[in-house]
Amino acid sequence: MSKLKKYQIKKILKFGQNIRSFILEPLEFPIVKHYPGQFITFHLYENLEKEELWEVARAYSIVSSPHEYPNLELCIKLQGTFTNKLWELKEGDITAVGGPFGAHNLSKGSSPLVFFAGGVGITPIMSLLRFENTKNKRKIKLFYSNRTLESTPYLNELKKYSLKSKFEIIFLFTGDKTNFGEHCRISKEIIEKYISKKQDFDYFICGPKSFAGAVESILKEMDIPQEKIYSESW
């Protein structure tokens, strides 16, 4: 296990009532630079003066691009004991971070990508989008499903990316009835509406198990080779 490093909460952003972004600034060095697709372990202090950590820790995907080094950004949904304690923290508080971990580097390769994200499943994908935004490497399509506009993390940032020719972002809303995006759940019909040359892409799915399972089933029905599909769920 890597040695834990202290990080200070530099900024907290809110997306609706139940999702928050935590931007962390390191207080100890050296810091290992991450790459898109990696995650860290997030630890909270029970007693900072005695450097006693709370026994519970959680793993979270990194939102920030490697270009934002050495700061880290995490996007977290309120669910369970750990996040209840995390929601009590404020800007300036000290936390501890282990990692980065994970062997799946989303920035490798040159094939065009199709991403499917459900809610906070956007986190590892945001890291790659920010990284690719500074390059002209490959085209990316993103199907991004949320219940409402208000609860959609990084909505405005993604809208800006969607103006660039190499990014195509399809926003799906299962609750809101607005003039923006598609108002439906992920389906074979909606995927085929935006994808014509299916086998030319690599596919990456990230979201709750129900969402990821539904997308995987649809891609298999579309005869997408299994080796072209990578899935991450919880």
Side-chain angles (χ1 to χ4, degrees):
M1 182 177 177
S2 68
K3 184 179 183 299
L4 299 181
K5 299 292 179 66
K6 289 189 178 71
Y7 278 75
Q8 186 172 46
I9 299 176
K10 184 178 180 181
K11 195 170 185 179
I12 299 174
L13 304 174
K14 298 179 181 180
F15 303 106
Q17 295 183 343
N18 298 323
I19 298 175
R20 293 184 182 180
S21 164
F22 296 85
I23 299 173
L24 310 176
E25 187 173 43
L27 299 177
E28 298 177 319
F29 293 87
I31 299 296
V32 177
K33 194 171 185 176
H34 73 279
Y35 49 75
Q38 288 195 298
F39 66 94
I40 55 90
T41 55
F42 201 21
H43 305 256
L44 306 180
Y45 281 99
E46 195 75 69
N47 187 315
L48 181 59
E49 289 186 3
K50 295 181 179 180
E51 298 202 348
E52 294 177 352
L53 291 167
W54 192 38
E55 61 182 7
V56 180
R58 291 289 182 267
Y60 293 108
S61 294
I62 300 169
V63 173
S64 44
S65 163
H67 298 314
E68 297 171 75
Y69 175 87
N71 290 357
L72 291 175
E73 183 175 353
L74 310 174
C75 185
I76 299 171
K77 184 175 182 178
L78 179 64
Q79 49 184 10
T81 305
F82 184 85
T83 52
N84 283 330
K85 192 174 181 71
L86 181 58
W87 253 234
E88 297 173 3
L89 299 184
K90 59 187 182 300
E91 293 174 0
D93 284 346
I94 309 300
T95 64
V97 168
F101 304 105
H104 192 76
N105 186 346
L106 293 179
S107 63
K108 284 187 175 180
S110 57
S111 298
L113 295 168
V114 177
F115 287 111
F116 299 91
V120 291
I122 194 66
T123 51
I125 297 166
M126 283 303 303
S127 182
L128 180 71
L129 291 177
R130 290 177 178 179
F131 181 75
E132 289 289 339
N133 189 44
T134 63
K135 300 177 175 293
N136 292 302
K137 191 175 180 182
R138 52 186 167 175
K139 290 187 178 294
I140 294 174
K141 289 179 184 282
L142 166 63
F143 291 84
Y144 188 22
S145 179
N146 288 275
R147 193 173 68 82
T148 65
L149 273 169
E150 182 192 30
S151 64
T152 301
Y154 307 107
L155 178 63
N156 291 331
E157 183 177 351
L158 289 169
K159 282 182 178 180
K160 292 178 182 177
Y161 291 155
S162 68
L163 299 175
K164 299 192 174 185
S165 60
K166 66 179 178 179
F167 295 129
E168 183 176 7
I169 302 176
I170 302 97
F171 295 92
L172 308 178
F173 298 102
T174 59
D176 268 356
K177 296 293 183 182
T178 69
N179 293 325
F180 178 74
E182 299 276 3
H183 302 283
C184 61
R185 297 186 181 277
I186 195 70
S187 66
K188 181 182 178 182
E189 291 72 26
I190 201 70
I191 294 173
E192 290 183 333
K193 179 178 177 179
Y194 293 95
I195 296 177
S196 54
K197 297 180 179 178
K198 297 175 291 188
Q199 277 73 27
D200 291 339
F201 297 94
D202 286 332
Y203 297 81
F204 181 89
I205 309 162
C206 191
K209 286 182 179 179
S210 57
F211 174 83
V215 176
E216 283 190 70
S217 296
I218 293 167
L219 294 181
K220 289 177 182 177
E221 186 181 344
M222 293 169 61
D223 296 322
I224 305 299
Q226 186 62 46
E227 62 269 19
K228 303 282 283 183
I229 302 170
Y230 178 84
S231 184
E232 185 177 299
S233 62
W234 60 88

